[in-house]
Coordinates of all heavy atoms in Angstrom, one line a residue:
N108 N 1.9 -2.5 -15.2 CA 2.6 -3.4 -16.1 C 1.7 -4.0 -17.2 O 2.2 -4.4 -18.2 CB 3.3 -4.5 -15.3 CG 4.5 -4.0 -14.5 OD1 4.9 -2.9 -14.7 ND2 5.0 -4.9 -13.6
D109 N 0.4 -4.0 -16.9 CA -0.5 -4.5 -17.9 C -0.9 -3.6 -19.0 O -1.1 -3.9 -20.2 CB -1.8 -5.0 -17.2 CG -1.6 -6.1 -16.3 OD1 -0.6 -6.9 -16.5 OD2 -2.4 -6.3 -15.3
W110 N -1.1 -2.3 -18.7 CA -1.7 -1.4 -19.7 C -1.0 -0.1 -19.9 O -1.4 0.7 -20.8 CB -3.1 -1.1 -19.3 CG -3.3 -0.6 -17.9 CD1 -3.6 -1.2 -16.8 CD2 -3.2 0.8 -17.6 NE1 -3.6 -0.4 -15.7 CE2 -3.4 0.9 -16.2 CE3 -2.9 2.0 -18.2 CZ2 -3.3 2.1 -15.5 CZ3 -2.9 3.2 -17.5 CH2 -3.0 3.2 -16.2
S111 N 0.0 0.2 -19.1 CA 0.6 1.5 -19.1 C 2.0 1.6 -19.8 O 2.7 0.6 -19.9 CB 0.8 2.1 -17.7 OG 1.5 3.3 -17.7
A112 N 2.3 2.7 -20.3 CA 3.7 2.9 -20.9 C 4.7 2.9 -19.7 O 5.9 2.7 -20.0 CB 3.7 4.2 -21.6
M113 N 4.2 3.1 -18.5 CA 5.1 3.2 -17.4 C 5.3 1.7 -16.8 O 4.3 1.1 -16.4 CB 4.6 4.1 -16.3 CG 5.4 4.1 -15.0 SD 4.6 5.2 -13.8 CE 5.8 5.1 -12.5
K114 N 6.5 1.2 -16.9 CA 6.8 -0.1 -16.4 C 7.1 0.0 -14.9 O 8.1 0.7 -14.6 CB 7.9 -0.7 -17.2 CG 8.4 -2.1 -16.7 CD 7.4 -3.2 -17.1 CE 8.0 -4.5 -16.8 NZ 7.1 -5.6 -16.8
M115 N 6.3 -0.6 -14.1 CA 6.6 -0.5 -12.6 C 7.5 -1.6 -12.2 O 7.4 -2.8 -12.6 CB 5.2 -0.7 -11.9 CG 5.3 -0.6 -10.4 SD 6.0 1.0 -9.8 CE 4.6 2.1 -10.3
T116 N 8.6 -1.2 -11.5 CA 9.6 -2.1 -11.0 C 9.8 -1.8 -9.5 O 9.3 -0.7 -9.1 CB 10.9 -2.1 -11.7 OG1 11.5 -0.8 -11.5 CG2 10.7 -2.3 -13.2
Q117 N 10.6 -2.6 -8.8 CA 10.9 -2.2 -7.5 C 11.7 -0.9 -7.4 O 11.4 0.0 -6.6 CB 11.7 -3.3 -6.8 CG 12.0 -3.1 -5.3 CD 12.7 -4.2 -4.7 OE1 13.7 -4.7 -5.2 NE2 12.2 -4.7 -3.6
D118 N 12.6 -0.7 -8.4 CA 13.3 0.6 -8.5 C 12.4 1.8 -8.7 O 12.5 2.8 -8.1 CB 14.4 0.5 -9.6 CG 15.5 -0.4 -9.2 OD1 15.7 -0.6 -8.0 OD2 16.3 -0.8 -10.1
T119 N 11.4 1.6 -9.6 CA 10.4 2.7 -9.9 C 9.6 3.0 -8.6 O 9.4 4.2 -8.2 CB 9.4 2.3 -11.0 OG1 10.1 1.8 -12.1 CG2 8.5 3.4 -11.4
A120 N 9.2 1.9 -7.9 CA 8.5 2.1 -6.6 C 9.3 2.9 -5.6 O 8.8 3.8 -5.0 CB 8.0 0.8 -6.1

Side-chain angles (χ1 to χ4, degrees):
N108 287 348
D109 294 335
W110 56 265
S111 173
M113 179 180 180
K114 176 77 171 164
M115 183 60 65
T116 65
Q117 188 176 50
D118 288 339
T119 309

